[in-house]
Amino acid sequence: MAEKILSRRGTHTVYAGDLAVVEVDQVMVVDSIAQSFIQRMQQDLGATPKYPERVSIVIDHVAPASTVSVAQAQKEAREYAAQTGVRLFDVGRGICHQVLMEEGLARPGWIVLGSDSHSTTYGAVAAFGSGMGATDIALAAASGKTWLKVPDSVKVTFSGDLRPGVTAKDVALEMIRRLGADGATYQSIEMHAGDRFTRGERMTLANLCVEAGAKAGLVVPGGEILTAYGYDIPDWVYPDGGATYVQRIDIDLGALNPRMSAPSEVDNVFDVAQLREELRDQPVDQVFIGTCTNGRIEDLHAAAEVLRGRRVAPGTRLLVIPASSQVMEDAMADGTLLTLQRAGAVLGTPGCGPCMGRHQGVLAPGEVCVSTSNRNFIGRMGDKDARIYLASPAVAAATAVMGRVALPEDVLGQGRWPDGPYLEIWRQREHRRHPAGQVRAVHGGRGRVPDVRVPLHPSGVRRGSAAR
């Protein structure tokens, strides 16, 4: 898929290892890099965007501004957008990747470059999305083009059906565990899922690809991508039957249990049931539900089903930050936010929140956080001595109620998983959008997930090869 997209957006057919100059369909600039981007454009290049309609500035990483210097940088971004005519998504609109997807600024076969490493997210709709620094982003905006080496491709094939309680986040974490933190460095991870997974779930899968070092993460179009959003999906975007891959991985979805990434590497992945036992005496100080990985409406629904009629444990803070204003409005309309707030959640402005450790809930020394985000590196969300565990929204919500690592069944009762009115509201809404019935329930069904015994180092010590 990567070779096909780069060939179409370039001047001739290219293959893995070739250098390609390609047209860029969308350039995305986040607030944390906007000042550097503007300096490159004005001082180094002496240029303005060649196609202003192809450039978007999103104020999301530190929104609202936390310091005077941040406020000044954001002011300059607003002024630059007004002067040049590029799009501006200001404070409160939401996280860049969620916003561009909602606005239709990432489409099948497109090339979308962002000044954020998780720009691989756009591969959810078969767009070649990749993160770049301020200089490369400025050059792309000034010329409408970029150059890159065509990456090799890794094929990941999903088979079977998810068990109740297992989510796309668990699938993504398992994929990263299999590949390793550098197992797909400067490669394109091509995911074959058939009609499985909603757009939001595919965004979660593509989002995590960069945590294996990938240049891009592409999900082969299927399911609701074909019917729900009005995408014009060209036949050429699909991979050929005889395509060449440098690595192939098969993942049986029916064999997966809820997963959790332990400090301080994303590929340090274990079974939640095992971490629950190993960390039974470890209080969790903060739970964070949100980010470009898991801040969508179906994620908030899953959390609300666990939290409905319950309270966050004493001594534990629960932060919930929707990925966009649209997500927040949907959660307001169906009562999800009220459920979360009554449970004791602190609701934040749509945006990145504390994910990058600059505001809205940074961690103190020694604190433990369970987060639905995508990174748990040392110092990622605050102090270097804080510890971050990555999990799905349902597991995060159960942890908030119990005050320690927990599964939803610990809160809802043995053998039960989130499947209540909010999820039913979401399913009905999705089916109204595309009555062909392509959407599958995110957390539907009941049943108990059996334990899987794996070697553990939940304290954050890097596991040995035996745990692979």
Side-chain angles (χ1 to χ4, degrees):
M1 289 178 71
E3 292 176 1
K4 286 193 165 190
I5 294 172
L6 297 178
S7 294
R8 285 281 177 160
R9 304 305 289 138
T11 58
H12 61 280
T13 300
V14 293
Y15 301 96
D18 292 343
L19 295 181
V21 176
V22 295
E23 292 281 340
V24 177
D25 297 283
Q26 188 67 207
V27 174
M28 185 275 295
V29 183
V30 297
D31 52 324
S32 59
I33 208 79
Q35 199 169 44
S36 296
F37 165 80
I38 294 169
Q39 290 173 354
R40 300 290 187 278
M41 291 291 290
Q42 295 179 337
Q43 299 175 18
D44 298 340
L45 300 176
T48 57
K50 183 174 183 179
Y51 305 109
E53 70 278 8
R54 297 186 190 179
V55 180
S56 298
I57 297 176
V58 187
I59 299 179
D60 63 346
H61 274 51
V62 188
S66 59
T67 66
V68 173
S69 61
V70 170
Q72 176 61 31
Q74 293 181 0
K75 177 185 177 184
E76 292 174 10
R78 295 184 185 101
E79 292 171 347
Y80 182 81
Q83 293 166 3
T84 61
V86 305
R87 288 185 184 84
L88 173 71
F89 298 105
D90 214 328
V91 174
R93 180 59 183 93
I95 304 172
C96 51
H97 311 307
Q98 181 71 22
V99 171
L100 261 63
M101 202 71 79
E102 292 175 355
E103 296 284 342
L105 297 175
R107 292 183 170 273
W110 279 22
I111 293 177
V112 183
L113 303 182
S115 64
D116 180 89
S117 58
H118 291 100
S119 296
T120 55
T121 304
Y122 307 118
V125 295
F128 187 96
S130 195
M132 292 185 174
T135 300
D136 286 319
I137 287 294
L139 287 167
S143 67
K145 298 180 179 181
T146 193
W147 74 271
L148 41 74
K149 186 174 81 169
V150 180
D152 288 311
S153 293
V154 175
K155 183 178 183 180
V156 178
T157 303
F158 301 116
S159 61
D161 295 312
L162 293 175
R163 298 180 182 184
V166 182
T167 72
K169 180 62 166 290
D170 304 303
V171 177
L173 290 177
E174 175 63 14
M175 180 174 65
I176 301 308
R177 185 191 75 82
R178 299 266 193 102
L179 288 167
D182 58 356
T185 300
Y186 205 92
Q187 296 174 349
S188 173
I189 299 177
E190 186 176 292
M191 290 158 280
H192 294 242
D195 288 336
R196 302 173 187 85
F197 303 120
T198 65
R199 186 176 74 171
E201 292 174 311
R202 288 165 180 251
M203 290 174 68
T204 299
L205 293 172
N207 180 274
L208 266 292
C209 285
V210 73
E211 305 310 329
K215 181 68 173 175
L218 294 160
V219 188
V220 179
E224 72 170 62
I225 302 301
L226 305 179
T227 60
Y229 300 98
Y231 293 132
D232 180 13
I233 303 175
D235 292 338
W236 58 258
V237 83
Y238 292 89
D240 294 334
T244 300
Y245 301 95
V246 295
Q247 185 179 176
R248 297 171 185 261
I249 293 177
D250 297 315
I251 296 179
D252 179 2
L253 300 179
L256 296 183
N257 292 325
R259 296 299 208 192
M260 178 174 278
S261 174
S264 292
E265 298 176 31
V266 181
D267 66 341
N268 197 29
V269 175
F270 305 106
D271 185 271
V272 176
Q274 291 302 305
L275 287 174
R276 176 185 60 181
E277 296 305 313
E278 293 291 329
L279 300 174
R280 68 171 70 92
D281 298 323
Q282 174 62 65
V284 172
D285 301 288
Q286 179 168 296
V287 173
F288 173 37
I289 298 174
T291 78
C292 54
T293 311
N294 283 124
R296 286 169 276 281
I297 188 64
E298 56 262 48
D299 300 315
L300 302 191
H301 284 166
E305 289 302 335
V306 175
L307 290 160
R308 183 158 47 92
R310 300 175 177 86
R311 292 286 299 177
V312 173
T316 299
R317 310 181 298 275
L318 171 60
L319 310 182
V320 177
I321 300 180
S324 72
S325 56
Q326 179 178 313
V327 172
M328 176 170 270
E329 289 175 10
D330 289 345
M332 285 180 179
D334 65 19
T336 299
L337 288 188
L338 182 59
T339 295
L340 296 171
Q341 199 264 345
R342 284 178 173 172
V346 176
L347 306 177
T349 303
C352 298
C355 178
M356 64 182 296
R358 292 185 61 182
H359 73 151
Q360 290 187 335
V362 299
L363 300 175
E367 287 196 314
V368 173
C369 177
V370 170
S371 173
T372 65
S373 58
N374 44 41
R375 284 185 174 155
N376 57 356
F377 305 150
I378 293 173
R380 171 69 180 183
M381 291 180 64
D383 190 82
K384 63 180 178 61
D385 292 325
R387 288 178 289 162
I388 306 165
Y389 295 81
L390 307 180
S392 70
V395 168
T399 298
V401 173
M402 301 299 290
R404 52 181 172 78
V405 171
L407 285 162
E409 64 178 13
D410 298 326
V411 175
L412 301 174
Q414 194 71 12
R416 296 185 60 195
W417 297 89
D419 190 22
Y422 296 120
L423 290 175
E424 185 58 33
I425 288 171
W426 175 77
R427 282 194 286 269
Q428 291 175 1
R429 178 190 298 143
E430 295 301 295
H431 279 289
R432 283 197 297 270
R433 289 168 51 201
H434 45 97
Q438 296 284 352
V439 171
R440 48 185 301 283
V442 178
H443 297 276
R446 300 185 184 279
R448 184 170 184 273
V449 178
D451 292 345
V452 171
R453 301 291 170 179
V454 294
L456 297 177
H457 290 288
S459 63
V461 178
R462 188 71 171 92
R463 68 193 185 289
S465 60
R468 301 299 269 179

